[in-house]
Amino acid sequence: CERDVPTAAAALVAVQDALWLSALHSAVAHLPHGGRAQRWAAHAVTDELHDLGLDLAGAALAAHPEAAPAEAVASLLDARGVAVERFTALTRLVAGEGADLAGLTLVARRLRDVAQS
């Protein structure tokens, strides 16, 4: 399903809003970077969050080609409810404990579960 750029962008924003991806990106950006490996790991988490957001936006538009972007994303996330609930629960736990690289890596893994479910 091919959609225009503004529609794809709107779907990505809807995914970012629904799953707090901007806040997660910000949390990664504010991590202390003790060394080169930690910087690389933080960049990997950022890339993973971004790529998975794109994957979810594309999947939503493909699954619901006639729907508005926000509606398509909401429908996709509703259909993946269990995975979304697990992602949300872990994200809240990590945020409540003060996000660190290990926790944010686990959040990215849980987001992959949402994208693959």
Side-chain angles (χ1 to χ4, degrees):
C1 163
E2 297 226 2
R3 303 283 288 259
D4 61 17
V5 172
T7 301
L12 179 57
V13 169
V15 167
Q16 290 171 336
D17 290 348
L19 299 175
W20 311 313
L21 296 187
S22 295
L24 292 170
H25 282 286
S26 180
V28 174
H30 288 94
L31 289 173
H33 300 293
R36 185 180 311 172
Q38 285 187 326
R39 284 193 304 274
W40 290 343
H43 288 297
V45 170
T46 297
D47 290 347
E48 184 81 357
L49 293 171
H50 178 73
D51 292 347
L52 292 169
L54 290 173
D55 291 350
L56 285 164
L61 294 175
H64 306 283
E66 301 301 319
E71 292 170 2
V73 168
S75 294
L76 181 81
L77 295 179
D78 285 345
R80 298 176 183 195
V82 172
V84 171
E85 287 175 21
R86 289 179 181 150
F87 168 81
T88 302
L90 180 61
T91 301
R92 286 184 180 145
L93 177 68
V94 167
E97 293 180 353
D100 62 5
L101 186 56
L104 291 166
T105 301
L106 291 173
V107 167
R109 182 176 295 237
R110 201 58 91 180
L111 183 59
R112 177 162 295 288
D113 294 342
V114 174
Q116 294 177 343
S117 62

